[in-house]
């Protein structure tokens, strides 16, 4: 391409080192779409002859068809996908092909291609996260009355429902949707026309190119247009957060599958066995999701570190952006795709959840609240209930089974209605504050989440 300035071919291992075609060829559709829009605009503006613009567009469409069908093989020795397609075009249509790159540089071309590519991927991931929220919400709707222990410090704390626990994740994933939508808005800005760094002397109609490619705006500074990778970093950041949520959910599923919990069982199709221990059924999928979270964090770190010292405008370091962001996108898609059917097919062991909730004195706060309702200050009631719990532990019994005489020894405020007040169902039903676990409150939470989710769009 630059034979005019050079007197020697690039050394072949240097070419391999320099080349990005092995990973940027996945953007061939975006590259061709960008070139078609650019050629259209050049023709409309009279910068190239409209008849030549038509020849270029037909040639590019032919290349697209042949790449889609696989009949045109990518040349692995090409420097990148942009050079490959331009060279192929010139091979096919001759001199007209050499006019395509008028008023364009690979610097604004690659920024355009990556934005187009990541816009598509962001849409795709957004739709998958929506499906995930719907799946989690559907399961929650079946478990409004499934009592389970809620934990802090991994110690049984207070009773909640499985629906309430699941909806906490639905809330996280809904925030992920809104982060993706937000990031998409800033990605949706067209850089073509920035050229190498300083724009061009040709009378481009950049807004027309943006319209042809479905962008809502154009970049307003040519240096920023070619050197900005915020959109890739923001996407990786939103994806890291999404993976963090998936990883926490996975961690809980791993615990819930264990013999120690036995709250759920994963379908055989989503578990693996052991090569030596015949009894084993392992939650490998969730462990892999937890593990792959590290990769996505790593991808974000790669991008941030790669960008931090770069002077304006384009530097070749920026070629390193693609493998990182592609890896993040691929990993997230694979994880969500596996996670959705895995939770759809899991069986929930309501009985064990309830049994676990019945142990561990998770109704102790309710016992204290009972005394407070009868006039005792909370701190006094808290201390007295602590004494009761210690007594139960000593007698190897529970608050539910402790005889009323024992209660009365500690306070005359206790009556037979204490047993109702500390029954598991009562403890859950009474927690009906907005955002609480009572079935009515969770129903309201679901309705509100569905309403808000409908308002988040790309
Ligand atoms: N392949 C490069 C990249 O992925 C784009 C080309 C710009 N190269 C250049 N030397 N100006 O970033």
């Amino acid at each position: 391409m630059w034979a005019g300035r050079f007197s020697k071919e690039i050394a072949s291992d240097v070419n391999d080192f320099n080349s990005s075609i092995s990973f940027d060829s996945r953007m061939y559709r975006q590259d061709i779409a960008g070139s078609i829009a650019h050629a259209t605009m050049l023709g409309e503006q009279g910068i190239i002859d409209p008849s030549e613009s038509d020849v270029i567009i037909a040639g590019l469409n032919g290349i697209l068809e042949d790449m889609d069908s696989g009949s045109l093989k990518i040349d692995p020795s090409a420097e990148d996908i942009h050079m490959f397609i331009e060279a192929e075009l010139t091979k096919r249509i001759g001199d007209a092909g050499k006019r395509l790159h008028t008023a364009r540089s690979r610097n604004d071309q690659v920024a355009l291609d990556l934005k187009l590519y990541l816009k598509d991927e962001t849409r795709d991931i957004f739709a998958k996260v929506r499906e995930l929220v719907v799946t989690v919400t559907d399961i929650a709707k079946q478990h409004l009355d499934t009592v389970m222990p809620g934990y802090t410090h991994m110690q049984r704390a207070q009773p909640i429902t499985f629906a309430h626990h699941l909806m906490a994740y639905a809330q996280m994933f809904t925030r992920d949707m809104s982060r993706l939508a937000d990031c998409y808005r800033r990605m949706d800005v067209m850089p073509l026309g920035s050229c190498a760094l300083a724009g061009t002397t040709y009378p481009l109609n950049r807004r027309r190119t943006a319209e042809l490619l479905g962008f809502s705006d154009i970049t307003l500074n040519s240096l920023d247009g070619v050197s900005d990778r915020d959109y890739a970093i923001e996407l990786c950041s939103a994806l890291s957060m999404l993976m963090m949520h998936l990883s926490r959910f996975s961690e809980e599923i791993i615990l819930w599958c264990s013999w120690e919990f036995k709250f759920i069982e994963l379908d055989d199709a989503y578990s693996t066995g052991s090569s030596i221990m015949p009894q084993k059924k392992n939650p490998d999928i969730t462990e892999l999701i937890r593990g792959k979270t590290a990769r996505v964090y790593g991808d974000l770190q790669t991008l941030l570190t790669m960008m931090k010292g770069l002077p304006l405008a384009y530097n070749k370091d920026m070629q390193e952006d693609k493998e990182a962001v592609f890896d993040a996108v691929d990993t997230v898609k694979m994880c969500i795709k596996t996670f959705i059917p895995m939770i759809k097919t899991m069986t929930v062991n309501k009985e064990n959840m309830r049994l676990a909730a019945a142990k561990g004195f998770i109704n102790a706060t309710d016992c204290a609240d009972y005394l407070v309702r009868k006039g005792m200050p909370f701190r006094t009631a808290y201390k007295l209930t602590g004494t009761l719990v210690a007594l139960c532990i000593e007698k190897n019994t529970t608050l539910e089974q402790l005889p009323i005489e024992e209660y009365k020894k500690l306070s005359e405020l206790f009556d037979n209605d204490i047993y109702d007040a500390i029954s598991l169902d009562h403890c859950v039903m009474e927690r009906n504050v907005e955002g609480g676990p009572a079935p009515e409150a969770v129903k309201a939470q679901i309705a509100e989440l569905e309403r808000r989710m409908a308002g988040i769009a790309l």
Side-chain angles (χ1 to χ4, degrees):
M1 197 68 79
W2 32 79
R5 167 76 174 77
F6 285 59
S7 52
K8 250 193 205 168
E9 288 273 320
I10 191 166
S12 108
D13 48 356
V14 176
N15 190 49
D16 292 346
F17 181 68
N18 193 47
S19 166
S20 54
I21 192 130
S22 62
F23 49 86
D24 66 17
S25 56
R26 68 157 84 188
M27 304 192 301
Y28 77 87
R29 289 199 186 91
Q30 288 74 17
D31 193 75
I32 292 173
S35 289
I36 289 177
H38 181 64
T40 306
M41 182 276 294
L42 290 179
E44 286 173 1
Q45 295 296 104
I47 298 168
I48 62 173
D49 194 283
S51 66
E52 273 186 317
S53 160
D54 291 345
V55 173
I56 292 172
I57 294 165
L60 287 166
N61 277 323
I63 294 175
L64 178 62
E65 235 169 74
D66 294 348
M67 290 187 84
D68 277 344
S69 73
S71 66
L72 172 60
K73 297 271 176 280
I74 286 168
D75 172 9
S77 70
E79 189 184 322
D80 55 29
I81 190 63
H82 326 293
M83 297 286 242
F84 172 73
I85 290 172
E86 194 187 328
E88 178 65 25
L89 181 69
T90 303
K91 212 191 282 172
R92 292 184 180 201
I93 66 169
D95 273 358
K98 297 183 186 167
R99 296 194 191 277
L100 170 63
H101 212 53
T102 313
R104 188 175 71 168
S105 151
R106 273 186 303 156
N107 298 350
D108 58 348
Q109 189 178 357
V110 72
L112 173 78
D113 291 5
L114 190 58
K115 278 184 166 175
L116 284 171
Y117 185 86
L118 294 180
K119 275 177 70 179
D120 288 346
E121 294 287 16
T122 306
R123 279 183 174 285
D124 192 11
I125 294 172
F126 180 86
K128 286 194 166 64
V129 181
R130 181 196 291 279
E131 194 188 328
L132 177 61
V133 176
V134 171
T135 306
V136 172
T137 309
D138 282 348
I139 304 172
K141 284 176 183 169
Q142 299 157 31
H143 291 283
L144 291 166
D145 301 307
T146 305
V147 176
M148 72 181 280
Y151 296 80
T152 61
H153 314 273
M154 270 317 284
Q155 303 287 320
R156 290 172 196 165
Q158 289 177 339
I160 55 169
T161 65
F162 191 44
H164 193 51
H165 198 115
L166 289 174
M167 287 310 292
Y169 285 105
Q171 298 290 343
M172 296 176 222
F173 295 135
T174 310
R175 288 197 295 275
D176 291 323
M177 285 174 62
S178 105
R179 263 185 288 274
L180 287 169
D182 192 41
C183 155
Y184 184 89
R185 224 165 27 84
R186 277 183 293 275
M187 192 184 284
D188 193 17
V189 182
M190 208 275 314
L192 218 58
S194 304
C195 303
L197 76 161
T200 179
T201 54
Y202 291 98
L204 299 184
N205 184 348
R206 298 186 60 214
R207 294 195 185 271
R208 173 69 177 139
T209 315
E211 176 192 282
L212 287 168
L213 289 168
F215 279 94
S216 3
D217 206 350
I218 60 170
T219 55
L220 295 180
N221 179 299
S222 62
L223 291 173
D224 183 51
V226 288
S227 62
D228 167 35
R229 291 294 181 273
D230 290 6
Y231 52 94
I233 298 175
E234 273 191 65
L235 178 59
C236 264
S237 161
L239 296 182
S240 294
M241 195 101 77
L242 168 58
M243 285 303 292
M244 183 260 286
H245 297 150
L246 273 179
S247 183
R248 293 183 77 179
F249 204 162
S250 295
E251 167 65 14
E252 297 213 283
I253 291 173
I254 293 165
L255 287 172
W256 294 340
C257 285
S258 69
W259 281 93
E260 284 70 14
F261 278 80
K262 279 230 156 284
F263 284 2
I264 62 160
E265 188 172 345
L266 294 178
D267 191 84
D268 285 356
Y270 295 92
S271 314
T272 53
S274 154
S275 59
I276 172 168
M277 297 166 282
Q279 85 283 13
K280 290 288 284 283
K281 182 169 169 183
N282 296 330
D284 285 31
I285 303 304
T286 38
E287 291 167 40
L288 266 177
I289 291 173
R290 195 175 57 186
K292 284 180 189 292
T293 302
R295 293 175 76 108
V296 178
Y297 290 3
D299 295 327
L300 172 63
Q301 202 58 45
T302 298
L303 292 179
L304 286 169
T305 312
M306 181 268 284
M307 289 299 288
K308 76 183 259 294
L310 296 189
L312 301 184
Y314 179 86
N315 299 270
K316 189 78 171 196
D317 315 45
M318 290 160 78
Q319 181 165 287
E320 291 291 311
D321 59 359
K322 278 169 270 322
E323 281 165 296
V325 72
F326 292 163
D327 181 70
V329 158
D330 293 348
T331 304
V332 165
K333 288 202 309 195
M334 202 163 53
C335 288
I336 307 186
K337 207 178 98 190
T338 323
F339 196 83
I340 291 175
M342 184 193 68
I343 58 170
K344 263 189 190 161
T345 52
M346 71 184 178
T347 28
V348 178
N349 192 335
K350 294 186 189 191
E351 206 35 54
N352 279 348
M353 285 188 178
R354 200 184 171 84
L355 282 173
K359 287 186 206 145
F361 302 100
I362 66 176
N363 47 4
T365 318
D366 302 85
C367 179
D369 287 343
Y370 168 92
L371 292 168
V372 170
R373 274 198 301 277
K374 298 216 167 180
M376 192 180 278
F378 178 75
R379 273 291 159 236
T380 319
Y382 168 92
K383 187 163 175 224
L384 192 146
T385 308
T387 314
L388 274 171
V389 169
L391 182 72
C392 287
I393 293 171
E394 189 193 308
K395 291 184 177 297
N396 193 23
T397 185
T398 61
L399 288 170
E400 289 93 323
Q401 283 159 356
L402 190 71
I404 190 67
E405 298 75 49
E406 298 287 347
Y407 276 101
K408 282 190 184 287
K409 273 188 211 162
L410 281 169
S411 168
E412 271 311 312
L413 292 176
F414 282 119
D415 228 323
N416 271 324
D417 57 351
I418 179 63
Y419 297 108
D420 244 358
I422 59 168
S423 84
L424 263 187
D425 292 301
H426 186 87
C427 294
V428 174
M429 294 304 278
E430 288 299 298
R431 289 187 153 73
N432 57 7
V433 62
E434 259 188 272
E440 282 310 312
V442 175
K443 254 191 221 166
Q445 181 194 157
I446 292 175
E448 182 59 18
L449 177 127
E450 285 174 340
R451 196 188 64 77
R452 290 189 192 180
M453 192 170 66
I456 312 172
L458 286 195

